[in-house]
Amino acid sequence: QQQVKQSPQSLIVQKGGISIINCAYENTAFDYFPWYQQFPGKGPALLIAIRPDVSEKKEGRFTISFNKSAKQFSLHIMDSQPGDSATYFCAASRGGGNKLTFGTGTQLKVEL
Amino acid sequence: GAVVSQHPSWVICKSGTSVKIECRSLDFQATTMFWYRQFPKQSLMLMATSNEGSKATYEQGVEKDKFLINHASLTLSTLTVTSAHPEDSSFYICSARSGALDEQYFGPGTRLTVT
C-alpha cells in the first residue's frame, strides 16, 4: 500500500494560534487529498479536501496548501480553539470516492 | 445529508463466537462501502471494499474467511467477525459513497471487545 507520511505526531498550540500539520505522499497517481478530524470514540469527519489542480483551498478557519512538485500538502488551522483538540488525519486516493490511504495521524491539543 | 450509521456502537463477545456489525447509509444510496479497522492511537487501515451486489475486495493480509462482508443492498453492508479472538478487539469503522458523491462518508464506528 502506498504510504502517506504525516507529521508531527502530536502538536500543542495556544488558543488563537495557528496549527500546521504536514503530509507527504509517494504515489503520483493520487489526485484527491482530504483531511479528517476524529474525536475519541468517534468516526472521522471530513474537514476539507483538495485536488491537485489548485494550490490552496480555504474553508473557514481551515486551509489546505498543496505542492504538487514536492508531493506535499498541509493543513492550517487558523485561530485554533480548544474545541479543535482532536486527532487529524490526512489521506490520499485515486479519485474522490475510491479507497483512501491514511496518514499516521496528528494529535492536536489547543491550550487556553 | 450523507449520514452513515453503524450498529452496534459497542459490543463485547466471548472468544470463539461471531459478531455482526451493520453499516447503513441513511439518506443516500451507497454503491460502494469500505471497512476500516483502527487500533488505539493508530491510523485507519482499510480492510476491504464492497460494491453492492458483488463480492468484497480484501486488502492484502486481511483474512476474507474471518471477516465476512456482505453488501446486499444499496443502503446496508455488514461485517461479520467469525471465531473472534482477543486480537480482533478493535474499533471498526465503515464508510460509504454513492456514484454521485465525490467523498466517502464515515460511520461513527463500532468498538469490539473480545474476551
Side-chain angles (χ1 to χ4, degrees):
Chain A
Q1 197 173 28
Q2 296 291 332
Q3 283 188 323
V4 177
K5 296 181 180 179
Q6 184 172 345
S7 64
Q9 185 175 358
S10 63
L11 180 62
I12 299 175
V13 173
Q14 296 300 307
K15 180 177 182 288
I18 302 173
S19 304
I20 302 173
I21 305 171
N22 301 297
C23 283
Y25 62 98
E26 299 172 355
N27 188 346
T28 55
F30 287 148
D31 62 0
Y32 177 73
F33 303 90
W35 283 90
Y36 291 89
Q37 179 189 57
Q38 186 179 32
F39 292 103
K42 304 294 183 183
L46 177 67
L47 269 179
I48 186 172
I50 198 169
R51 290 193 177 273
D53 52 345
V54 296
S55 60
E56 186 175 283
K57 183 175 181 180
K58 182 177 180 179
E59 290 184 1
R61 295 186 294 112
F62 302 96
T63 300
I64 298 180
S65 297
F66 185 81
N67 186 328
K68 187 175 180 179
S69 60
K71 294 188 287 185
Q72 295 175 347
F73 58 110
S74 60
L75 175 69
H76 295 231
I77 305 174
M78 312 300 288
D79 188 26
S80 298
Q81 299 296 313
D84 296 331
S85 298
T87 300
Y88 292 81
F89 292 96
C90 63
S93 70
R94 296 178 63 177
N98 296 322
K99 66 178 187 179
L100 292 162
T101 299
F102 279 85
T104 48
T106 296
Q107 192 165 0
L108 170 66
K109 182 177 181 181
V110 180
E111 293 185 335
L112 292 169
Chain B
V3 179
V4 177
S5 70
Q6 282 185 240
H7 178 79
S9 57
W10 185 38
V11 58
I12 301 174
C13 71
K14 292 186 181 297
S15 185
T17 62
S18 296
V19 61
K20 180 184 287 188
I21 301 170
E22 293 185 347
C23 176
R24 293 181 185 273
S25 57
L26 299 184
D27 51 4
F28 66 100
Q29 293 186 324
T31 52
T32 305
M33 287 185 169
F34 303 86
W35 286 95
Y36 295 84
R37 181 165 55 179
Q38 186 178 33
F39 292 107
K41 298 206 181 291
Q42 293 190 21
S43 188
L44 285 79
M45 295 300 294
L46 179 66
M47 299 174 67
T49 302
S50 73
N51 292 296
E52 186 267 338
S54 61
K55 289 184 178 181
T57 301
Y58 290 81
E59 294 299 302
Q60 191 173 7
V62 178
E63 300 174 61
K64 62 180 181 181
D65 294 330
K66 181 170 184 62
F67 298 100
L68 301 178
I69 292 172
N70 184 285
H71 191 167
S73 79
L74 284 172
T75 59
L76 174 64
S77 176
T78 61
L79 167 67
T80 300
V81 183
T82 63
S83 186
H85 293 285
E87 57 265 31
D88 298 324
S89 298
S90 188
F91 194 50
Y92 292 87
I93 308 170
C94 72
S95 70
R97 63 160 292 201
S98 79
L101 296 174
D102 213 20
E103 296 93 9
Q104 291 181 33
Y105 292 89
F106 284 81
T110 295
R111 172 78 56 197
L112 170 64
T113 300
V114 184
T115 62

